Amino acid sequence: MKILVTNDDGIFAQGLWVLAKELKRVAQVVVVAPDREQSAIGTAVTLRQPLRAQKMRPMVAGVETYSVEGTPADSVILALDKLVKDKIDLVVSGINHGANLGDDVLISGTVGAALQGYLHGLPAIAISVVFGDNLHLDNAARLAALLAKKIGANTLPTNTFLNVNLPNLPLAEIRGAKVTRLASESHTDTVEESHDGRRRYYWLIRQGINKDTDKKTDIWAIEQGNISITLLYTSLLNKPSPPIPNNLCPDLLRELRE
Ligand code: MN
């Protein structure tokens, strides 16, 4: 199995390399990621200027690595269509430093990168941890490896397109894992206005996660300290869900704790 690992936080982000290192235990890994942070760039692709890619020294030994002067989606397109000679079996995007929940998946570069994998007919996973001090990236990396193994073993559908979020908690404090749908709300909902002495300016502020009372949504699951797994082909693209094993969540949690 060969896994393409990418992100939107840029080639030097810690989450990318924690993920690559863990996935390398279960598969061959190639990293192709933007050369700088591109959070909230969504599904954007670069059409009006040339794209450059540079082979790089990996931060995890033995991982073929390229940085791309472009968006997360550009990185996946270049990787799949040009840079990587071998067949890719799975695209994993993350680990994003910060949650990607609800309507915000539409502006998420993490999800935008995974989407390109899905559109190329590959299983794809976007994975994020709620932002905070001392990010628990290790739980997310191990969960991604478990999901990759299940995809490799055909116990998940081949057209899997998942958005996975983890609360920023030690493993023992994670309450459970839920298959969720996207909440209908965004937390980029505030415009702050100020003045620098010459001109007015604005900041779009991310307010953090809103309260959600609907027990089926990703935001609710995260608020309650659960891992949230959203089937994006259903929740985002309105396509019927392929069968997901009933025991996926209990199995993942048990295996994560093993
Ligand atoms: Mn990001």
Side-chain angles (χ1 to χ4, degrees):
M1 190 185 200
K2 189 148 188 170
I3 302 176
L4 170 63
V5 175
T6 191
N7 74 348
D8 77 353
D9 292 330
I11 193 84
F12 298 110
Q14 196 190 357
L16 178 75
W17 290 102
V18 171
L19 177 63
K21 188 175 179 188
E22 192 65 29
L23 289 177
K24 193 165 170 277
R25 293 155 63 102
V26 301
Q28 266 190 292
V29 171
V30 54
V31 168
V32 183
D35 66 345
R36 69 201 74 181
E37 200 200 324
Q38 303 267 339
S39 291
I41 198 102
T43 58
V45 293
T46 303
L47 299 179
R48 290 167 198 279
Q49 60 189 63
L51 284 173
R52 293 179 205 283
Q54 177 125 23
K55 194 157 191 175
M56 281 192 37
R57 254 177 76 108
M59 290 160 84
V60 170
V63 174
E64 187 184 350
T65 301
Y66 300 88
S67 77
V68 172
E69 293 177 35
T71 66
D74 292 335
S75 301
V76 173
I77 294 168
L78 274 194
L80 296 179
D81 293 349
K82 193 58 80 175
L83 297 175
V84 183
K85 301 300 172 218
D86 303 338
K87 183 178 156 293
I88 295 290
D89 303 297
L90 167 66
V91 176
V92 185
S93 178
I95 302 164
N96 192 60
H97 299 201
N100 280 304
L101 297 165
D103 291 335
D104 288 338
V105 300
L106 294 167
I107 62 167
S108 163
T110 308
V111 174
L115 173 69
Q116 283 301 328
Y118 176 76
L119 295 180
H120 280 74
L122 299 174
I125 300 170
I127 187 159
S128 309
V129 174
V130 173
F131 194 75
D133 296 332
N134 301 320
L135 277 184
H136 290 277
L137 297 167
D138 47 339
N139 295 336
R142 289 180 47 229
L143 185 64
L146 289 173
L147 287 165
K149 275 202 284 189
K150 289 181 191 303
I151 288 166
N154 292 317
T155 54
L156 282 174
T158 50
N159 60 341
T160 288
F161 180 23
L162 302 178
N163 185 40
V164 179
N165 282 269
L166 290 90
N168 188 33
L169 294 171
L171 189 53
E173 291 173 32
I174 291 179
R175 277 176 66 181
K178 306 276 183 201
V179 171
T180 58
R181 62 171 178 76
L182 294 175
S184 294
E185 56 183 303
S186 166
H187 61 269
T188 307
D189 57 356
T190 305
V191 181
E192 210 164 78
E193 183 178 332
S194 195
H195 204 279
D196 65 7
R198 289 170 67 94
R199 296 185 64 189
R200 194 175 305 283
Y201 65 87
Y202 306 94
W203 278 108
L204 304 184
I205 301 289
R206 297 169 75 85
Q207 285 284 43
I209 298 167
N210 296 325
K211 290 284 167 230
D212 197 317
T213 50
D214 183 334
K215 294 185 177 166
K216 293 190 173 63
T217 69
D218 52 355
I219 290 181
W220 183 87
I222 284 289
E223 271 174 11
Q224 301 299 315
N226 296 294
I227 294 166
S228 166
I229 299 175
T230 311
L231 316 177
L232 287 181
Y233 29 62
T234 309
S235 218
L236 188 59
L237 303 171
N238 220 0
K239 293 186 179 167
S241 170
I244 289 284
N246 282 335
N247 54 352
L248 173 67
C249 283
D251 279 359
L252 281 172
L253 208 61
R254 179 176 44 74
E255 289 170 37
L256 195 59
R257 285 177 169 146
E258 267 169 17

